[in-house]
Amino acid sequence: MQPHVHLCLVLHNHQPIGNFDGIFEAAYQDSYLPFLEVFEPYERLNLSLHTSGPLMLWLADHHPEYIDRVRALVEAGRIEIVGGPQYEPIMTMLPQRDQIGQIQSYAQWLRRKFGVTPAGMWTPERVWESGLTASVAQAGIQYTVLDDFHFRAAGVTQEEMTGYFLTEDDGHMLRIFPGSERLRYSIPFLAADETIRYCREVAEQHPGAVLTFGDDGEKFGTWPDTQAHVYERGWLRSFFNALSDNAEWLHATTLAQAVAQTKPVGKVYLPDSSYREMSEWALPVEQQQSLDDVIHDFEGDPRWDSLKAFVRGGYWRNFKVKYAETNEMYARMMDVSRRLAEAREEGLDAGELAVAQDHLYRGQCNCPYWHGAFGGVYLPHLRNAIYQHLIEADSILERAARGPHSRWAEGTAEDYDFDGQNEVRMSTDQMVAWVSPGRGGRIVEWDLRAISHNLLATMQRRPEAYHRKVLTGPNATEGEVASIHDRVVFKQEGLEQRLQYDRFPRKSLMDHFYDEQTTLSAVQNNDAQERGDFVDLPFQAKLRRASDRVQLRMHREGNAWGIPLTITKAITMTAGSDTVEITYLLENLPPGQVMHFGIEFNFAGLPSGADDRFFTDAAGNRLGQLGESQDLSDTTGLMLSDQWLGIDIGLDIDRPSGIWAFPIETVSQSEGGFELVHQSVCVQPHWLVSGDAEGRWAVKMWVQNRCRNSTAIESSSTQTTTV
């Protein structure tokens, strides 16, 4: 009998929560629709199709005819619907209740839409930990796809990967297919004959073997240069023709058919891992660069093939260390998940909790929680979408517990972000603020309930390993269809001149002391010397609660220029109010000495380059777009307006002040190349401070967050707590 092999083609189509509608539509027209149109006539070919929940819901709303065509192929037995967690979270960052809940929720939706219950699932970003086996199996899943990289890390050789394996946890069994990295890099970039030749080699050496290709459907038309290559120049038709011509021995099949027709080749316990590139991106920058150099130096060595199985990068969870912004989103998500579980135990309205759960699940979508060859955490619209859903879930839980029209103010202290220090959660019917006394008394999150927006979904500018490529400039790829990992394309000119790095996170109430002659330019370019020790060091804190307000008072004895000083600052939030009151008192100022003192605020979600996003001075004069720098003197306020988002942020000050304002922009990597991204607006009121007869100086400020869609969603008794 002629040697044969099974080729499982597993397509993963995904667009994240919060992506622009135009991006969904472009991907549909460039990838999803043309792939389906080319595939339909090839009756001898079958494949497994995973479409993520965010994309599937969009397709159901915008292109139901596509859903109908896929359903017809499902009924014909040519497409297997692959499930997974509904909104494409990294499974390892979820509590087990949400791991199981996301999978089962999507399975129910797919059963209603396609009439089938998925037996297999796509593991988002192939991020795997052994403990997932039990959760996935308990959710009703029988098999999934990971990478051969996982198997090599467990000591399985490439020659042994001739099918799927069994794994187990706590008595729960699961089948795992090793996706081929070789196929990932050859399809669709190399000629179709290359894949056929490789499959024939495997068939001859291991008759009846199962090979698995599992990768992004966007490679077929959405990735740069692939639309022309895959469709206009006919690569996909040539590939399907080659599969059809060799169908007697090369069986293009589904995962379900492979499970039904073949036996597992063995048992394996896989280490915590992801695909190779993800493990590299999870490393700290210096180690990432070192690993890249080591691979480059050794990949030409004849021993490399036997060595590379033991060369591994980092661990996905360390993205929460590499990017504080990731940990902030994660901590917010975990808080909402915990409170939702508690609300269920309390028996609150099931209908409202179901809506809150859907928002929570949407807020777990993985894309902005990490960063690699794609925009990830650097894309503000994706971060904003995560916070939008988490804040919406939070507000629903508050309404369910307190009633729909209550007014209230509350303060609690807890280690919300898992850093070993207590943070303070100040919450009212209008807004929520998380403050970190242990880190300079800064506000780290500032949520506006009316528009479900976090004003501090900011991004610190930091070195990235790929900045070495930015500094060397773009490369040409004319006539080539390069992998997305190899292209160096600038989406704007001069990006190598725009690299800047921040010493501290871009948060609010960060207290600076500068030299007297320090200018806007020096602060904006990070050339200003920090002369005090208040920005990042701990403050003592006391939390005061009353029936209609909550106040956090923070105190630190530090120094500037080596001179002992004391700063006391207080944040007050009042039920029903959209204004936060902030007071500062500086003490022990030396007589006759002037000190340059500034308070840094940052506001995210206010993009540049649009006339409906602008500054206004205290007199009501429009000053320019939010991407333009401002250097004001002897003023008592500044307003930032975003008419599209529906918000005016007004800063009012009780004494004449200088105000610096400027955009924060990052140079980051995305599918289309390297690009400059507006992250936030920094606003710094500043003064030349001198003490009164008692060595004291004070200022009071009000930050008003006027939302055009304002809706309020009452509690009491006065308490004081030391945090």
Side-chain angles (χ1 to χ4, degrees), residues 255-322:
L255 298 172
Q257 291 167 336
V259 167
Q261 297 169 9
T262 67
K263 294 182 179 181
V265 297
K267 192 173 183 179
V268 70
Y269 292 91
L270 300 175
D272 301 343
S273 188
S274 180
Y275 54 87
R276 175 179 57 81
E277 298 91 343
M278 178 72 85
S279 75
E280 295 170 6
W281 299 329
L283 288 171
V285 170
E286 291 184 1
Q287 284 75 13
Q288 189 179 345
Q289 291 174 333
S290 296
L291 177 60
D292 186 59
D293 292 340
V294 166
I295 293 173
H296 184 269
D297 290 343
F298 278 88
E299 60 188 355
D301 192 292
R303 298 168 294 175
W304 178 243
D305 283 343
S306 59
L307 285 173
K308 65 181 181 181
F310 306 103
V311 177
R312 300 177 60 193
Y315 177 43
W316 189 90
R317 289 184 185 238
N318 279 318
F319 278 112
K320 294 184 288 184
V321 177
K322 186 174 184 177

Side-chain angles (χ1 to χ4, degrees), residues 225-238 479-481:
D225 305 323
T226 58
Q227 218 280 333
H229 171 67
V230 171
Y231 301 111
E232 295 174 19
R233 294 197 290 271
W235 183 92
L236 188 58
R237 290 189 187 279
S238 71
E480 302 177 17
V481 183

Side-chain angles (χ1 to χ4, degrees), residues 435-499:
V435 186
S436 179
R439 300 188 184 278
R442 67 180 63 135
I443 306 176
V444 296
E445 182 175 339
W446 194 338
D447 301 336
L448 309 181
R449 295 191 188 278
I451 57 174
S452 298
H453 178 71
N454 175 15
L455 288 173
L456 287 170
T458 53
M459 193 71 199
Q460 181 178 354
R461 296 173 294 188
R462 48 170 65 81
E464 293 288 354
Y466 55 73
H467 284 171
R468 295 195 296 185
K469 293 181 180 180
V470 174
L471 292 172
T472 60
N475 64 21
T477 57
E478 291 185 20
E480 302 177 17
V481 183
S483 167
I484 204 165
H485 308 291
D486 300 324
R487 303 172 82 251
V488 181
V489 175
F490 283 8
K491 297 177 76 171
Q492 295 101 1
E493 293 183 2
L495 292 183
E496 67 278 6
Q497 306 296 322
R498 305 298 291 270
L499 291 174

